[in-house]
Amino acid sequence: MLLLAADLVLIVLDIRNFYHPFPNHELYDIETNNSYAEDFQNLKWIIMMMALVLIAMIRQEKKYFTWVLVILFLFLEDVFRIHQSLGHFFYNIFGMTTGQRGSKIMELFAAAFLGFIFMAPVLEAYKKGDALFRKHSKVIFILLALFLFCAVVIDQAHRLAVVQYNWKYNVVFGMLEDGGELITESILTGYLISVALQQKRKQHNDITEA
């Protein structure tokens, strides 16, 4: 709830900043990379990795580290925009000449390529994992899918000319994209924290009973 409350504060500040800009307005714009929202988002990736490592250690189950790698990739992607650099590399390697549209297609291809690489170990671990690991993995996958829907699908819709040249559509899609990312990421962070605490309590009870 605290994470979602912080998201709500950031979204409200973003709306306030849109109509009445703050002195350092870029810090309150949830669409910019150097904003408070972006810093908060990066913090949540770190908390998620810590929670997953804790769950893995408590359960003595190495398969959770496959999810740590996925979250680590998403964190690095958020900071360095890896898919954009790789997309430009593919664009130049394939000698494409279709301009900005071709570049965006290659960025999507790069994102799918990277996603496959980092999700392959998770799928393999899922096949061999126990019921509890599979349960946790399903929830993580669903929440990440919702996050990526906001980050990729809504982002692509946001880039359409009909949206870009209509300020109302631009604002709405921007809010759906970045606000959706913040909220889905907070739900996933809260879920992993709750699982880690649950496993910690279970470990404590098992030690006490022994």
Side-chain angles (χ1 to χ4, degrees):
M1 291 299 292
L2 290 175
L3 293 171
L4 291 174
D7 290 335
L8 182 60
V9 169
L10 289 169
I11 291 171
V12 169
L13 288 174
D14 177 70
I15 296 172
R16 161 68 170 75
N17 186 53
F18 178 79
Y19 289 103
H20 302 285
F22 293 104
N24 296 320
H25 62 89
E26 67 279 354
L27 294 176
Y28 301 90
D29 186 350
I30 63 175
E31 295 187 44
T32 59
N33 293 332
N34 297 316
S35 63
Y36 291 132
E38 186 73 12
D39 291 339
F40 185 47
Q41 196 159 310
N42 291 335
L43 174 63
K44 285 185 282 188
W45 291 129
I46 295 172
I47 293 173
M48 278 188 263
M49 287 187 280
M50 293 172 63
L52 283 165
V53 169
L54 182 59
I55 296 167
M57 293 173 63
I58 293 173
R59 294 204 63 217
Q60 297 182 344
E61 178 56 88
K62 295 180 180 178
K63 294 181 181 65
Y64 286 95
F65 286 105
T66 60
W67 279 116
V68 174
L69 290 176
V70 172
I71 300 301
L72 176 61
F73 162 68
L74 291 172
F75 168 67
L76 294 175
E77 166 63 27
D78 233 9
V79 175
F80 299 110
R81 297 296 189 265
I82 299 171
H83 81 283
Q84 291 181 357
S85 299
L86 185 60
H88 293 155
F89 173 76
F90 286 152
Y91 181 86
N92 293 325
I93 286 295
F94 294 136
M96 297 185 69
T97 58
T98 51
Q100 186 176 6
R101 184 177 180 183
S103 178
K104 295 305 178 184
I105 291 173
M106 284 296 100
E107 285 182 19
L108 290 174
F109 175 76
F113 175 73
L114 290 168
F116 174 78
I117 290 176
F118 283 92
M119 282 302 297
V122 172
L123 295 175
E124 189 63 26
Y126 182 85
K127 292 177 183 177
K128 300 177 180 178
D130 60 15
L132 188 56
F133 175 77
R134 291 189 176 194
K135 176 186 175 182
H136 294 158
S137 293
K138 286 177 182 177
V139 177
I140 295 171
F141 180 80
I142 290 170
L143 291 174
L144 279 181
L146 289 173
F147 172 83
L148 292 173
F149 177 81
C150 296
V152 178
V153 178
I154 297 181
D155 174 63
Q156 292 304 307
H158 189 194
R159 294 169 186 258
L160 295 174
V162 67
V163 174
Q164 289 291 317
Y165 292 107
N166 185 308
W167 73 269
K168 291 181 180 179
Y169 291 164
N170 197 7
V171 170
V172 170
F173 274 86
M175 187 63 66
L176 288 174
E177 176 190 345
D178 296 290
E181 287 182 27
L182 280 172
I183 292 171
T184 52
E185 193 181 10
S186 286
I187 294 172
L188 177 54
T189 304
Y191 172 73
L192 290 175
I193 291 173
S194 69
V195 170
L197 293 175
Q198 185 182 49
Q199 293 302 312
K200 187 66 177 177
R201 284 194 297 268
K202 184 177 182 299
Q203 182 189 50
H204 176 73
N205 292 337
D206 290 343
I207 294 173
T208 303
E209 291 175 2

